[in-house]
Amino acid sequence: MFISILKMKKIILGILISQLYFLPAFSDIEKDMRENCLDYFNKTSRVNELCNSLQNKDGSFKKGLDYDISLLEILLGENIIDEASLSIEKIEKKYNNSEKLYIYKAWLSFIKKEYSKTEEYSIKASNYDSTDLKSYYFLINSYYFQKKYFEVISTYSKISNIKINNDLYYYRIAHSYFNLDQKTEAIENLKKAIEIKEDHSYYYFLGVIYRNLNKFKESSEYFEKAVKLNPEQNYLYYYSLAVSYKCMKEHKKAIELFNKSIELNPNYPENYEKLGYIYFLENNYDKAIEILDKAIEYKTESPDVYSLIGVLYRTKGKFDLAIITLSKAINLSPKNASYYYFLAETYSLLNNKKMADENYIKSCTLGFKDACNKNG
């Protein structure tokens, strides 16, 4: 019996919607079913896997609950949400087996980004079958997207000895550890993710963690890998790599990388801020001011940048500009003791004892100890 692709589609859709349990026995059409299954799913790279999952080892098509569950898994795997939801409802009514469907309800809720429901059904699924790893997988992910990082780790600890072949799973475990300030465990799980898939974002995250640990050499190595693997150049990767080189006092390399990041995104103010500070350390004050002025263009309320520009103007003997700029820093951050100290030092150079003492006192009151010895 020949079945056209159009008819096959009607059969499949009928299964999913109103005709789900009124099809003729598959034994009558099995000769053509495999061919038409391949045609129907030919738009997905998983076509053979999808069709195989509907068949038994001998090539015959599954029947009853086995068939319906296999088809449901295809729908969920392909994110066909509406039909999957209908399929769950009809399976539940036909077989009166709600417990077996908890895991599929969790799966469906996860696809729909209903994470509290995912959590609810995952817990029920794990209680029904504690050996089903899928229930723990969805439970961990539901906790992750609800930012319940402690619960993520608590659940993960129950199955941490079982390897799961999913890189995103280990990335989310790593991110949860990182948010709980457990950086060693975060690194360990990121490396597990990389064993499965070398993704540039995983290397970037490793670079961030090592930089937070003040291990700048290691961080630069991972940022380098992220840069090389990234198919689209990312200005943040170059920025982060530049920061690591800056922290290692390799200023020439850092300047090169900051400029590359600026080339990719000229509107990111932190590039100019860090680059300007390097020129300040290199005693290239004019260049530092030029670059820091760029930072102000894109980040108008940055007290640290105003403060640094003020110190640069003071160093160059431009005291009026120094006072104006340092005053802007204070207006933006009135509780920063160092800003008052820098302003006091400027007034001191102008022999304005009254204003110098006033700002030394303010700086001392806010906890800057060096200012306490200057007053009076």
Side-chain angles (χ1 to χ4, degrees):
M1 183 190 302
F2 177 77
I3 300 177
S4 68
I5 295 174
L6 179 60
K7 188 173 181 181
M8 178 62 188
K9 289 183 178 180
K10 288 181 179 179
I11 290 173
I12 296 290
L13 290 174
I15 291 170
L16 305 179
I17 309 174
S18 62
Q19 301 173 21
L20 183 60
Y21 305 110
F22 301 98
L23 287 177
F26 273 113
S27 57
D28 295 334
I29 60 173
E30 281 174 355
K31 291 180 181 178
D32 299 304
M33 187 64 79
R34 172 71 182 175
E35 179 183 343
N36 286 283
C37 182
L38 293 172
D39 286 337
Y40 183 72
F41 288 115
N42 65 2
K43 291 183 179 179
T44 173
S45 61
R46 297 173 58 246
V47 57
N48 283 306
E49 179 186 346
L50 296 179
C51 293
N52 287 340
S53 67
L54 293 174
Q55 295 177 272
N56 297 308
K57 289 182 179 180
D58 62 4
S60 63
F61 274 78
K62 297 177 181 177
K63 296 181 178 68
L65 182 59
D66 285 345
Y67 180 88
D68 295 331
I69 290 295
S70 295
L71 189 58
L72 173 58
E73 288 177 348
I74 290 177
L75 295 172
L76 290 168
E78 298 302 303
N79 289 351
I80 306 174
I81 296 174
D82 291 340
E83 287 85 350
S85 183
L86 284 170
S87 183
I88 287 173
E89 288 178 15
K90 291 187 176 184
I91 292 172
E92 196 165 24
K93 287 178 182 177
K94 182 176 181 181
Y95 299 102
N96 193 26
N97 191 343
S98 298
E99 290 84 359
K100 190 175 182 65
L101 290 172
Y102 286 144
I103 189 61
Y104 300 108
K105 290 180 179 180
W107 192 346
L108 180 62
S109 299
F110 183 71
I111 294 171
K112 294 166 73 174
K113 299 183 180 180
E114 297 173 347
Y115 299 123
S116 60
K117 284 187 178 180
T118 307
E119 176 186 344
E120 175 190 344
Y121 287 125
S122 296
I123 290 171
K124 288 180 177 180
S126 64
N127 289 337
Y128 172 70
D129 182 2
S130 61
T131 65
D132 189 349
L133 283 177
K134 290 195 296 293
S135 62
Y136 292 102
Y137 174 81
F138 287 120
L139 184 56
I140 285 170
N141 278 284
S142 72
Y143 286 143
Y144 175 80
F145 285 106
Q146 294 178 86
K147 298 183 179 180
K148 297 180 178 181
Y149 300 122
F150 180 82
E151 287 83 353
V152 169
I153 301 309
S154 177
T155 306
Y156 172 63
S157 65
K158 297 175 183 178
I159 57 168
S160 59
N161 61 323
I162 301 172
K163 185 172 182 178
I164 293 177
N165 192 35
N166 186 301
D167 53 296
L168 269 175
Y169 169 79
Y170 289 110
Y171 170 81
R172 289 166 185 161
I173 297 295
H175 194 263
S176 300
Y177 273 122
F178 181 75
N179 279 284
L180 294 173
D181 202 31
Q182 298 181 41
K183 297 183 179 67
T184 300
E185 291 81 1
I187 289 169
E188 177 185 324
N189 281 279
L190 272 173
K191 289 181 177 179
K192 287 181 181 179
I194 289 170
E195 284 178 11
I196 299 169
K197 180 182 177 182
E198 282 197 294
D199 189 280
H200 57 87
S201 63
Y202 303 160
Y203 282 115
Y204 178 76
F205 193 8
L206 275 172
V208 170
I209 296 174
Y210 277 109
R211 190 178 65 199
N212 286 351
L213 292 169
N214 295 325
K215 295 183 176 182
F216 303 117
K217 186 176 184 300
E218 290 88 343
S219 74
S220 67
E221 289 171 357
Y222 286 114
F223 286 139
E224 289 274 13
K225 288 183 179 180
V227 166
K228 288 177 183 176
L229 283 174
N230 191 16
E232 298 178 4
Q233 292 185 315
N234 189 320
Y235 73 94
L236 275 176
Y237 288 11
Y238 285 97
Y239 167 79
S240 298
L241 183 55
V243 170
S244 290
Y245 277 108
K246 171 183 168 291
C247 292
M248 290 189 289
K249 297 183 170 56
E250 295 189 32
H251 292 166
K252 184 178 179 181
K253 183 67 174 177
I255 288 171
E256 175 190 330
L257 291 162
F258 279 126
N259 282 323
K260 178 64 178 178
S261 183
I262 289 168
E263 179 188 323
L264 293 170
N265 182 4
N267 303 321
Y268 188 59
E270 278 74 7
N271 273 315
Y272 301 108
E273 186 174 342
K274 300 290 192 300
L275 183 56
Y277 187 70
I278 290 177
Y279 281 119
F280 167 68
L281 295 174
E282 295 282 304
N283 299 321
N284 190 341
Y285 302 138
D286 290 332
K287 187 68 174 177
I289 291 171
E290 175 192 338
I291 296 295
L292 290 167
D293 279 339
K294 278 281 189 182
I296 294 296
E297 283 182 32
Y298 298 106
K299 191 177 178 182
T300 56
E301 297 189 355
S302 178
D304 285 342
V305 175
Y306 279 115
S307 174
L308 182 52
I309 293 173
V311 170
L312 285 163
Y313 278 136
R314 189 189 71 196
T315 304
K316 288 175 61 63
K318 297 182 178 182
F319 300 118
D320 290 344
L321 287 172
I323 289 169
I324 291 169
T325 313
L326 287 166
S327 296
K328 285 182 180 178
I330 289 170
N331 287 336
L332 290 169
S333 184
K335 293 186 177 181
N336 190 307
S338 63
Y339 299 165
Y340 293 98
Y341 180 81
F342 297 147
L343 185 56
E345 291 281 279
T346 306
Y347 278 119
S348 181
L349 290 169
L350 289 170
N351 296 316
N352 187 334
K353 187 175 185 306
K354 180 178 181 239
M355 291 301 296
D357 285 349
E358 181 181 315
N359 282 281
Y360 280 134
I361 290 169
K362 184 67 176 176
S363 180
C364 177
T365 302
L366 289 171
F368 199 80
K369 292 182 180 180
D370 289 349
C372 301
N373 299 323
K374 294 290 185 84
N375 177 33

